[in-house]
Amino acid sequence: MSNRLKLTPGTLDLAALRSIYFGMSTELDRASKVDVDRAAETVQKIAAGEEAVYGINTGFGKLAQARISKADLSKLQENLVVSHAAGVGDPLSAPIVRLTIVLKIASLCQGASGVRWEVIERLHALLDQDCLPLVPAQGSVGACGDLAPLAHVTAGMIGVGEVFLKGERMAASDALAQLDMDPLRLEAKEGLALLNGTQVSTALALAGLFEIERVFQAALITGALSVDAALGSDVPFDARIHELRGHEGQKNVAAALKELIDGSQIRGSHVDCGKVQDPYSLRCQPQVMGAVLDLMRHAATTLVVEANGVTDNPLVFADTGEVLSGGNFHAEPVAFAADQLALAVAEIGALSERRIAMLTDGTISGLPAFLSANPGLNSGFMLAHVTAAALASENKQRATPASVDSLPTSANQEDHVSMATHGARRLLEMAANSARIVAIEWLAAAQGIHFHRPLVSSAPLEKVRDLLRTRITPMNEDRFLAPDIAAAEALVRSGAMQAEANACLTSVEL
């Protein structure tokens, strides 16, 4: 039985996209070859004729009125690739490039782009051989598609530029020679079909979503742990409260928090205490994190649709022999989804930072100042909180919407663009920032729980605390703290921490 995911056009769901991002191999669905071949034949007939059709025998963008001779049609496509491979900046990571290529394959396999099956096979062969084009991260404005980064993807296929072959950076021509592959010769429309599209923006946004998903789950766990550390109440998570408001995400988060805390001896020890209400950072977790979950789910729906769509231009309709020019390359839906995710991940970190502030303030939490058994001689978590505050503030600045910006390009032919690509690219750094904040909260909350011993928390929260303690001991006196934060962050970002309480998180799945 194959452990590869078959790339059947139009069937990529969120679980499939997540598995591809985290490394699952794929295989082509050869049933799609019929539609691909029909569209390619349509393009070839037009290329052999006399009618001027955009993208097949004309120039591009502002130069669309220029007619290209039949003898130059292949050269036209090669020129398009090399001239548009104008990206700058650090290379995109291997998981992003892999996902980008899979999304491009899924789009081409719909049979509306006019490329030969050979082109799709070559793209997939590069994946199988772990030969990934070097794709600079910067240079796309999110319309007319992700032209520059996709040009770098295509350049590797024709033996131009650089690639990473099994992780080693080298000239694309050398890599193809090692793989005993000839550079691909592009035919009519193929360069344009490969360059046009939103696959880079979508891959970046999906990657951001999957990383934010892990941080979100971790923040629910640390949020519950902070409730116990601060002797907070689970009454605000009562389902009846959230049913009256009605937001699905809010109800789901409340259920998860209730389940995470259920059975805690610490909670049982102060049921009849005199405290009336907890700070908002504890009490309003369902309302804030529920709104975050709703945003994430909406963005996920948009991105799944985009991942299964055809976003190059023009599009080939083989049943009628028509080639229609439109604007599916405009990445506005992806830009909006990325902006929503930026808001979501900024709020995850912002709420977690507030809980760290609360835990380290003994006048609110009732815990020793800065979570130190001997404050004064020891500073405890004083500067760990400052780090969390710095990261939260950085994320707030990055959360400014990218989609409200636009600069005309291509001599004003492309006069409104989405800015989806960098809007999506920032999500990975924002997710990393929030993961570090949540890691600091995990350390702080576990330290708070330590002061309540011999009482224990709930079974799932104790498992989470135990995992942390396999790497990091309680802080009885000041020590070099950066390695502790890094170790906790690694557990958050790998998903290991969330796995310890996975049974409590089913209600908050995307």
Side-chain angles (χ1 to χ4, degrees):
M1 183 176 177
S2 174
N3 59 352
R4 291 171 170 253
L5 180 72
K6 183 174 284 190
L7 297 177
T8 301
T11 64
L12 290 173
D13 58 16
L14 196 65
L17 293 164
R18 186 188 292 108
S19 67
I20 293 166
Y21 174 67
F22 287 114
M24 175 170 278
S25 298
T26 59
E27 63 181 351
L28 296 175
D29 183 353
R30 295 193 65 83
S32 61
K33 184 176 184 297
V34 175
D35 290 335
V36 170
D37 287 346
R38 289 180 66 214
E41 290 166 7
T42 301
V43 169
Q44 289 159 13
K45 287 178 183 177
I46 293 171
E50 300 302 324
E51 181 185 359
V53 177
Y54 174 72
I56 297 177
N57 51 20
T58 71
F60 308 105
K62 193 72 170 182
L63 303 175
Q65 304 308 316
R67 182 67 185 272
I68 310 301
S69 70
K70 295 175 185 177
D72 288 332
L73 293 185
S74 180
K75 183 63 173 175
L76 172 70
Q77 299 301 313
E78 181 184 339
N79 286 349
L80 177 69
V81 174
V82 296
S83 68
H84 283 50
V88 298
D90 295 332
L92 293 175
S93 68
I96 300 292
V97 176
R98 278 197 302 268
L99 184 54
T100 295
I101 293 175
V102 168
L103 294 178
K104 177 55 76 174
I105 290 171
S107 178
L108 297 176
C109 281
Q110 298 269 16
S113 302
V115 304
R116 293 164 295 150
W117 184 252
E118 177 186 350
V119 174
I120 296 171
E121 286 184 317
R122 173 57 63 89
L123 268 175
H124 200 268
L126 294 180
L127 284 180
D128 275 348
Q129 296 294 334
D130 192 18
C131 182
L132 301 179
L134 187 156
V135 183
Q138 295 170 284
S140 175
V141 295
C144 181
D146 293 315
L147 293 172
L150 287 174
H152 284 274
V153 171
T154 308
M157 300 168 62
I158 67 173
V160 175
E162 293 182 285
V163 301
F164 292 96
L165 179 58
K166 295 179 171 50
E168 181 183 353
R169 184 171 176 170
M170 66 178 68
S173 57
D174 292 343
L176 292 180
Q178 286 191 34
L179 297 172
D180 198 24
M181 292 181 181
D182 292 327
L184 183 69
R185 178 179 170 84
L186 298 173
E187 295 188 1
K189 195 186 178 297
E190 290 178 339
L192 185 59
L194 288 162
L195 268 60
N196 232 201
T198 64
Q199 285 78 32
V200 175
S201 299
T202 305
L204 284 165
L206 283 167
L209 172 67
F210 299 141
E211 298 294 345
I212 293 166
E213 179 182 26
R214 283 186 170 177
V215 178
F216 171 83
Q217 294 169 343
L220 289 184
I221 296 168
T222 58
L225 201 62
S226 289
V227 170
D228 252 4
L231 300 182
S233 174
D234 61 351
V235 171
F237 311 142
D238 190 303
R240 293 170 293 180
I241 296 172
H242 309 288
E243 286 291 341
L244 284 173
R245 194 174 196 185
H247 292 295
E248 194 65 22
Q250 180 177 324
K251 291 188 288 184
N252 297 159
V253 167
L257 289 168
K258 189 76 171 175
E259 191 170 357
L260 282 165
I261 296 174
D262 186 49
S264 166
Q265 289 182 8
I266 297 172
R267 171 63 184 128
S269 71
H270 62 94
V271 170
D272 297 320
C273 69
K275 188 190 295 187
V276 178
Q277 289 184 330
D278 294 324
Y280 288 0
S281 60
L282 298 179
R283 185 172 19 133
C284 297
Q285 289 184 78
Q287 289 77 10
V288 178
M289 295 292 277
V292 165
L293 180 58
D294 286 338
L295 271 187
M296 291 170 61
R297 284 171 171 168
H298 185 271
T301 299
T302 297
L303 295 174
V304 168
V305 171
E306 191 76 5
N308 286 283
V310 181
T311 56
D312 59 289
N313 185 67
L315 298 176
V316 180
F317 296 85
D319 54 344
T320 64
E322 294 176 282
V323 177
L324 305 182
S325 186
N328 281 3
F329 51 72
H330 200 297
E332 197 81 350
V334 181
F336 283 173
D339 283 344
Q340 290 174 328
L341 290 171
L343 293 172
V345 71
E347 281 299 274
I348 293 170
L351 194 64
S352 178
E353 181 277 326
R354 287 291 81 206
R355 290 193 296 267
I356 299 167
M358 177 272 302
L359 290 171
T360 56
D361 185 345
T363 64
I364 300 174
S365 66
L367 294 165
F370 299 108
L371 301 171
S372 173
N374 188 10
L377 176 62
N378 294 287
S379 296
F381 281 79
M382 182 186 295
L383 260 291
H385 169 247
V386 172
T387 296
L391 295 169
S393 186
E394 185 177 314
N395 270 1
K396 291 174 189 177
Q397 294 167 12
R398 290 184 174 183
T400 301
S403 59
V404 298
D405 185 25
S406 179
L407 280 174
T409 59
S410 192
N412 282 306
Q413 174 75 3
E414 298 159 8
D415 58 351
H416 181 278
V417 298
S418 71
M419 300 299 181
T421 320
H422 70 261
R425 193 178 69 245
R426 68 186 154 155
L427 296 176
L428 293 172
E429 292 182 353
M430 294 180 72
N433 283 346
S434 286
R436 292 165 187 141
I437 297 169
V438 170
I440 292 169
E441 184 187 3
W442 189 10
L443 293 169
Q447 183 77 2
I449 295 293
H450 180 70
F451 289 117
H452 297 310
R453 288 302 192 229
L455 295 176
V456 297
S457 187
S458 67
L461 293 181
E462 284 294 322
K463 287 179 66 177
V464 168
R465 191 206 70 90
D466 290 346
L467 174 65
L468 186 70
R469 291 295 174 237
T470 63
R471 310 287 180 89
I472 304 161
T473 59
M475 194 164 70
N476 297 318
E477 60 182 4
D478 283 353
R479 63 175 182 243
F480 187 40
L481 200 52
D484 292 0
I485 297 172
E489 178 196 349
L491 292 170
V492 167
R493 297 185 69 178
S494 70
M497 179 250 220
Q498 298 86 323
E500 296 298 321
N502 192 55
C504 301
L505 301 174
T506 56
S507 67
V508 293
E509 293 175 351
L510 296 183

